[in-house]
Amino acid sequence: MGNPKGNRRLSGRERSKRGDRAAAEPKGKGALRTGMARDIAAVVLLALGVGAGFALGTFSALDGALIARDLPPANLIGPVGHSVASGVYGLLGFAALVVPLALVTIAWRLFRGATGRLTAVGSGAYLVLTLCLAVLSHLLLARFDLASFPAGGGVGAWLAVRSVRLLSTAGSVLVVAAVALVAAIVATDLKLRDVAGWTWEAFAALFGFARTQLSDAIDEHREAVAELRAEELAERARRAEAEAAALAATAEVEAEGDEAAGEARDVAGALALEQV
């Protein structure tokens, strides 16, 4: 039997040498397979996201009748896109629009080499955001009948009823909106400071645009009023001159000679114009 080898601590130089040798060794097939699987998943998710966006964005309830008569629908993904969009809208309502955004975002993260943990956390955050938006859509928009499908879908209506039982409508809106905001922060790496800055810039731009438009409208109104008043004054002056001329023509003038008579008629016209 040989003597057991004692534990020997490695110096910092030896540990660095071993780390350099490990880094210099080529990666195994498992790493290559992992990268290939990530790229394939990213391509599939990207295609699904773009297709879902086209299907949801071009959805029309009238396409069902066209498909039943073997006519081409307006949906860009065809009958399959219409069926998928109808089902997703019926399930999630307006919150279904988050689905293509989530798929494209997750695909982009996979392309950039995101780890499985980050991908799972982002997917879960998008799922929570979608459910919260479905509940909010049902609570705020269900009464208006804005579309052929329920505003919050079947899932949003089911969750909203149970939320209202526990928190009432106002409390449900407050809590669900807060959860949705947190989910959006986690899903999109959103920063409230940036959002506040963007909101302020948009508000300032909108206020400046409205102020410019209002100032231009006031100037145009003033010019129009001035032109209208000038036209009215000119019309009044024309009528006054016509009336004065008529009065002067009917006036009886007694004078010796044509020159005196002309001067008398001019005086009569001036007096008539003044009277008018």
Side-chain angles (χ1 to χ4, degrees):
M1 296 180 63
N3 295 328
K5 297 181 179 180
N7 295 329
R8 184 172 62 87
R9 293 183 179 180
L10 299 177
S11 62
R13 182 178 299 178
E14 292 177 348
R15 286 197 298 267
S16 62
K17 289 182 179 179
R18 289 194 177 186
D20 294 340
R21 287 196 299 269
E25 293 178 356
K27 296 182 179 180
K29 295 183 179 180
L32 294 177
R33 291 176 182 176
T34 302
M36 183 182 296
R38 183 188 297 114
D39 292 341
I40 293 174
V43 172
V44 172
L45 291 177
L46 182 61
L48 290 176
V50 174
F54 287 155
L56 295 174
T58 59
F59 171 78
S60 174
L62 301 177
D63 286 344
L66 297 177
I67 295 173
R69 298 180 181 179
D70 293 333
L71 296 176
N75 198 297
L76 293 179
I77 311 299
V80 174
H82 172 75
S83 300
V84 172
S86 179
V88 176
Y89 274 131
L91 188 65
L92 299 173
F94 291 109
L97 298 174
V98 180
V99 174
L101 176 63
L103 293 175
V104 172
T105 304
I106 294 172
W108 175 249
R109 289 183 176 179
L110 289 176
F111 274 127
R112 297 184 62 183
T115 61
R117 180 176 176 275
L118 290 178
T119 304
V121 171
S123 302
Y126 272 112
L127 176 61
V128 174
L129 177 62
T130 303
L131 296 178
C132 290
L133 291 180
V135 175
L136 291 176
S137 298
H138 179 79
L139 293 175
L140 301 177
L141 304 176
R143 69 189 73 176
F144 299 111
D145 294 332
L146 299 177
S148 59
F149 50 85
V155 174
W158 187 82
L159 293 175
V161 170
R162 281 149 183 79
S163 177
V164 170
R165 288 178 183 175
L166 297 175
L167 302 172
S168 76
T169 302
S172 298
V173 172
L174 180 62
V175 173
V176 175
V179 175
L181 182 59
V182 173
I185 292 173
V186 176
T188 62
D189 196 17
L190 190 65
K191 295 180 175 58
L192 293 181
R193 182 178 299 177
D194 296 339
V195 174
W198 297 335
T199 304
W200 175 254
E201 291 177 359
F203 176 77
L206 181 62
F207 178 76
F209 176 77
R211 182 177 61 182
T212 302
Q213 295 297 320
L214 181 60
S215 177
D216 294 341
I218 291 175
D219 293 338
E220 292 179 358
H221 177 70
R222 288 177 178 176
E223 292 177 359
V225 170
E227 293 178 359
L228 180 61
R229 289 180 178 177
E231 292 177 359
E232 291 179 353
L233 290 177
E235 182 64 20
R236 289 179 183 178
R238 188 185 62 79
R239 291 179 180 178
E241 291 178 357
E243 293 179 4
L247 290 176
T250 59
E252 296 181 358
V253 178
E254 295 180 358
E256 296 180 357
D258 294 338
E259 185 178 355
E263 292 179 357
R265 289 188 179 280
D266 292 339
V267 173
L271 293 175
L273 181 60
E274 184 180 355
Q275 182 178 1
V276 172

